[in-house]
Amino acid sequence: SQQGEEDPQALSIQEGENATMNCSYKTSINNLQWYRQNSGRGLVHLILIRSNEREKHSGRLRVTLDTSKKSSSLLITASRAADTASYFCATPPDSSYKLIFGSGTRLLVRP
Amino acid sequence: GAVVSQHPSRVICKSGTSVKIECRSLDFQATTMFWYRQFPKQSLMLMATSNEGSKATYEQGVEKDKFLINHASLTLSTLTVTSAHPEDSSFYICSARDRKGIMNTEAFFGQGTRLTVV
């Protein structure tokens, strides 16, 4: 099963522009995580935001969390061609240990 | 960061045979590992939770006799696709979380296994 939806499904931007991806989820959560996947590879953890946090930064990444709307956003500033990948949000639903992934956003950054 | 090693990265097998995929946590102990399946351009679908020393917990719709999971030690879980058919062709990914502070921690992923059944 999937926890929720991400939008857009695909995003194409020019290098240097910002990229924003949104994630919605269904159940109560302790935290929400964002992961990146290069084509045909495993996933790399980007950032974790706890349910009592509203915003978190890590380098060029900015994540927000709105638990009242059950939504999160990932902003990548000053994008680079190397940021081209698929981005997934993931949550442990109902305080479980497992991670359920959103549908993902495929980001293409054109040089 | 912690390392999870998954092997093999690619495997091609004949229909009707079984394939074993290994997932190892190299520098931490993982009482729980997770197996996912991913179709092209789609998200990861959780198949099962592998528990060290006990039976795996399968997600709804996943055949436990088809996808055998063994988690014999704190660093190794295996997924065996039994009597594989072409529709089992997919990308399989394992992940593990450190047993310490598991609730609010990231998961570490293997590199994935591309299974092709011919």
Side-chain angles (χ1 to χ4, degrees), chain A residues 28 30 91-100, chain B residues 34 97 102-103:
Chain A
S28 62
N30 288 317
T91 56
D94 298 322
S95 304
S96 66
Y97 290 163
K98 59 189 179 184
L99 278 179
I100 303 298
Chain B
F34 305 89
R97 298 173 82 176
I102 191 172
M103 189 58 72

Side-chain angles (χ1 to χ4, degrees), chain A residues 46-64:
Chain A
L46 296 177
I47 198 165
L48 180 153
I49 186 166
R50 296 175 189 244
S51 58
N52 61 353
E53 297 176 310
R54 292 296 168 259
E55 188 171 311
K56 200 162 184 180
H57 297 253
S58 177
R60 293 184 295 114
L61 305 180
R62 172 177 168 256
V63 167
T64 63

Side-chain angles (χ1 to χ4, degrees), chain B residues 15-19 37 47 58 61-69 79-89 92 115 117:
Chain B
S15 190
T17 61
S18 296
V19 174
R37 181 174 181 173
M47 298 174 66
Y58 290 82
V62 178
E63 300 175 58
K64 59 183 179 183
D65 295 330
K66 173 78 172 174
F67 299 100
L68 299 179
I69 291 172
L79 168 68
T80 301
V81 183
T82 62
S83 187
H85 290 284
E87 57 265 31
D88 298 324
S89 298
Y92 294 87
L115 170 64
V117 184

Side-chain angles (χ1 to χ4, degrees), chain A residues 73-110:
Chain A
S73 68
L74 170 67
L75 168 67
I76 303 174
T77 60
S79 64
R80 305 167 183 168
D83 293 330
T84 294
S86 291
Y87 293 82
F88 297 93
C89 65
T91 56
D94 298 322
S95 304
S96 66
Y97 290 163
K98 59 189 179 184
L99 278 179
I100 303 298
F101 283 80
S103 51
T105 294
R106 295 192 309 277
L107 174 65
L108 170 65
V109 182
R110 304 186 304 274

Side-chain angles (χ1 to χ4, degrees), chain B residues 86-106:
Chain B
E87 57 265 31
D88 298 324
S89 298
S90 190
F91 192 59
Y92 294 87
I93 310 177
C94 70
S95 79
R97 298 173 82 176
D98 198 316
R99 66 186 303 189
K100 299 187 298 291
I102 191 172
M103 189 58 72
N104 274 309
T105 58
E106 65 194 271

Side-chain angles (χ1 to χ4, degrees), chain A residues 31 35 37 97-99 102, chain B residues 36 38 43 59 97 104 107:
Chain A
N31 65 76
Y35 289 83
Q37 182 183 35
Y97 290 163
K98 59 189 179 184
L99 278 179
Chain B
Y36 293 85
Q38 185 179 33
S43 185
E59 295 298 302
R97 298 173 82 176
N104 274 309

